Amino acid sequence: MTETIRGRIRPARRLTLTEDVYETIKGLVMDHTLPPNERVNIDALARELDVSPTPVREALARLESDGLVRKRPLSGYTTTPLLSRAEFDDLFDMRLLLEGDSAARAAANASTANRQRISTEADATVGVEAGDGYRRHAAFTALDAKFHDLIAEVAGSALLREAITRLHSHLHLHRLYFPAAQAADTTVEHQRIAAAITLGDPEAATAAMRDHLTAARLRHLPAFDQMPSGPAA
Amino acid sequence: MTETIRGRIRPARRLTLTEDVYETIKGLVMDHTLPPNERVNIDALARELDVSPTPVREALARLESDGLVRKRPLSGYTTTPLLSRAEFDDLFDMRLLLEGDSAARAAANASTANRQRISTEADATVGVEAGDGYRRHAAFTALDAKFHDLIAEVAGSALLREAITRLHSHLHLHRLYFPAAQAADTTVEHQRIAAAITLGDPEAATAAMRDHLTAARLRHLPAFDQMPSGPAA
DNA sequence: GTGGGATCTTTCCTATAGGATGCTTGCCTG
DNA sequence: CAGGCAAGCATCCTATAGGAAAGATCCCAC
């Protein structure tokens, strides 16, 4: 494991070391370089990142609030286990509620410029230079996240946008799986949402968003059959 | 300020010092012993709580994720400023969305025992032993929070409950104000919600919850006229 | 051979010290 | 008298060291 981490640390050196470490560890958890449901040794991680344990502890405390790691009082930190089927359903139920409202608000409140931004973003696709396999999956996920966040931004509620972003972090706890063949479906669904928002029809926007999320949920379901080992009870 | 903190620290000594410090500081921010929009000196706070700065830093990092304090890169932590009118409206819009759904799910899913628990909780009132003024306000707020959390628990979605709890923390950032004379109204509204849940009518439960929140929002509005000094821009 | 206990090791948790950065105050110059 | 600069100060940020608790392993007794 140590070898995989080495070489991708210290990307930019932000204003504070803690912030830097936070973003780094977050990335490691997101792309499963730190596998789910595995113990996180503070000292080892600090050595690996070439910093003292103190900023690592602080970063881990923030990540716990984000739900990416868990802390057992006298035992240390562990990465959050993979989503169970029940948690997965719970997650998408929340997305239906939150993002359905987000789309409606965007349709009702968006300026002309913002409607244009959403339409443009919906037309974006993953370029061929993304390569294949993991790289392509990561690029596609980022594109999808950007589209949903853009709508949340235009919706105009800071609280709503924050909640949606938080949910998106949890989605990364899902198995890294996506059938590339269905990427085109996602683009079409995004364009339907954008069209409803452009027309300023809140109800249609909500419906389009809910259709999209329902379809996305179905697309993700096969991942549960992919790996026989479910998350620990 | 130091004098007000002294004497209310170290309430129980939990498993870990950090957890203890986190709960303590959270309480200090909640009841405005640490006034909103004020600088938080880490060293001073550590001396006051009689611990080293390290656990204080860790607790502050968690509180930042909760939205109770903010961290400016090279300047230190400050308590979150009071809610502006726009943020207040945003907060209640979110509560309408989340708790409306929470009530509906509770009505649809609750067991007989849980319906009974909700009805009992709705009938609870603040005893006379709570005293007057601030003490009474705190007791009433706790009772209200418990009722809403109970419904969220029964609703059966961990994500939904967590989001509602998070919102409730933000509500404490509002001015400490509540007209005691209208406490009875709140009890009546709670009982209407409980009745709809007991009957197993999701739509009625949502409607009752939304009526309650709309009324509560109106009850809180005068607080904005109470103090002439609005939050800093 | 199995169960219990004690010891040992690993890891987390807390505390203290030093270096660096930003902010404020006072002084000087135009 | 006003604006800018510099020095001092306070505060945050990072690093290292020591103490404590929990888990694992080994040994002994039954």
Side-chain angles (χ1 to χ4, degrees):
Chain A
M1 180 190 71
T2 53
E3 306 307 326
T4 50
I5 293 180
R6 203 182 295 276
R8 53 191 321 170
I9 58 177
R10 313 294 288 279
R13 184 81 194 204
R14 286 178 181 72
L15 288 81
T16 65
L17 228 194
T18 297
E19 186 74 14
D20 196 359
V21 170
Y22 170 77
E23 293 293 342
T24 301
I25 299 179
K26 189 173 185 177
L28 294 177
V29 176
M30 286 287 202
D31 63 10
H32 294 203
T33 302
L34 256 41
N37 202 24
E38 187 160 292
R39 299 194 57 166
V40 178
N41 188 314
I42 294 179
D43 291 338
L45 196 56
R47 280 195 302 274
E48 207 60 47
L49 268 49
D50 197 33
V51 297
S52 79
T54 306
V56 174
R57 295 186 67 79
E58 202 164 327
L60 249 24
R62 290 185 55 187
L63 286 171
E64 192 196 10
S65 287
D66 293 343
L68 291 182
V69 299
R70 299 181 188 283
K71 177 187 181 181
R72 227 172 37 183
L74 272 315
S75 172
Y77 288 93
T78 53
T79 49
T80 304
L82 245 27
L83 260 39
S84 70
R85 177 61 199 273
E87 289 169 333
F88 177 82
D89 284 337
D90 191 17
L91 175 62
F92 267 86
D93 283 345
M94 273 294 275
R95 290 192 72 187
L96 281 168
L97 180 66
L98 260 36
E99 303 216 37
D101 196 55
S102 175
R105 293 198 201 192
N109 303 332
S111 65
T112 305
N114 280 334
R115 294 178 204 279
Q116 186 57 49
R117 286 173 65 202
I118 292 174
S119 289
T120 303
E121 186 62 35
D123 292 335
T125 54
V126 176
V128 290
E129 72 277 6
D132 231 354
Y134 172 75
R135 289 286 303 274
R136 191 175 183 79
H137 172 269
F140 187 85
T141 299
L143 203 68
D144 185 65
K146 191 178 174 189
F147 179 71
H148 286 268
D149 182 62
L150 177 59
I151 292 178
E153 176 195 342
V154 172
S157 167
L159 253 25
L160 183 59
R161 186 184 183 187
E162 186 186 330
I164 290 174
T165 301
R166 182 173 298 271
L167 247 40
H168 237 285
S169 293
H170 281 71
L171 185 57
H172 280 264
L173 268 303
H174 188 53
R175 291 168 181 76
L176 293 179
Y177 166 82
F178 193 79
Q182 298 179 355
D185 295 344
T186 301
T187 300
V188 171
E189 290 160 15
H190 279 188
Q191 288 169 338
R192 284 186 187 142
I193 296 170
I197 292 175
T198 301
L199 287 174
D201 187 340
E203 293 180 10
T206 297
M209 177 62 85
R210 292 183 67 93
D211 286 345
H212 168 48
L213 291 174
T214 301
R217 167 192 258 160
L218 284 174
R219 282 193 289 269
H220 277 289
L221 273 186
F224 285 101
D225 304 324
Q226 195 184 26
M227 292 181 177
S229 61
Chain B
M1 179 189 72
T2 54
E3 306 306 325
T4 50
I5 294 179
R6 203 181 295 277
R8 53 191 321 169
I9 60 177
R10 312 295 286 280
R13 184 84 196 200
R14 286 176 181 74
L15 288 82
T16 66
L17 228 194
T18 297
E19 187 74 13
D20 196 358
V21 170
Y22 170 75
E23 292 292 343
T24 301
I25 299 180
K26 189 173 184 177
L28 294 177
V29 175
M30 287 286 201
D31 64 10
H32 294 202
T33 301
L34 256 41
N37 203 23
E38 188 160 291
R39 299 194 57 163
V40 178
N41 187 313
I42 294 179
D43 291 337
L45 196 55
R47 281 195 301 274
E48 206 61 45
L49 268 48
D50 198 32
V51 296
S52 78
T54 307
V56 174
R57 294 185 68 79
E58 204 163 325
L60 249 24
R62 289 185 55 186
L63 286 171
E64 191 196 10
S65 286
D66 294 343
L68 291 182
V69 300
R70 299 180 187 284
K71 177 186 180 182
R72 226 173 39 182
L74 272 314
S75 172
Y77 287 93
T78 52
T79 49
T80 305
L82 246 25
L83 260 41
S84 69
R85 178 62 200 274
E87 290 170 333
F88 176 81
D89 284 337
D90 191 16
L91 175 62
F92 267 86
D93 283 345
M94 273 293 275
R95 290 192 71 188
L96 282 168
L97 181 66
L98 261 35
E99 303 217 37
D101 195 55
S102 174
R105 294 200 200 190
N109 304 332
S111 66
T112 305
N114 280 335
R115 294 178 204 278
Q116 186 58 49
R117 284 173 67 202
I118 291 174
S119 289
T120 302
E121 186 62 35
D123 292 335
T125 53
V126 175
V128 290
E129 71 276 6
D132 232 353
Y134 172 73
R135 290 286 302 275
R136 190 174 184 80
H137 172 269
F140 186 86
T141 300
L143 202 69
D144 185 64
K146 190 178 173 190
F147 179 72
H148 285 268
D149 182 63
L150 177 59
I151 292 177
E153 177 195 341
V154 173
S157 166
L159 253 26
L160 183 59
R161 186 184 184 187
E162 185 186 330
I164 290 174
T165 301
R166 182 174 297 271
L167 246 40
H168 237 287
S169 293
H170 281 70
L171 185 57
H172 280 265
L173 267 302
H174 188 54
R175 291 168 181 76
L176 294 178
Y177 166 84
F178 194 79
Q182 298 179 354
D185 295 344
T186 300
T187 301
V188 170
E189 290 160 16
H190 280 189
Q191 287 169 337
R192 282 184 187 145
I193 296 170
I197 292 176
T198 301
L199 287 174
D201 186 341
E203 292 180 11
T206 298
M209 177 62 86
R210 292 182 67 92
D211 286 346
H212 168 48
L213 290 175
T214 302
R217 167 192 258 162
L218 285 175
R219 281 194 289 270
H220 277 289
L221 273 187
F224 284 102
D225 305 325
Q226 195 183 26
M227 292 182 177
S229 61

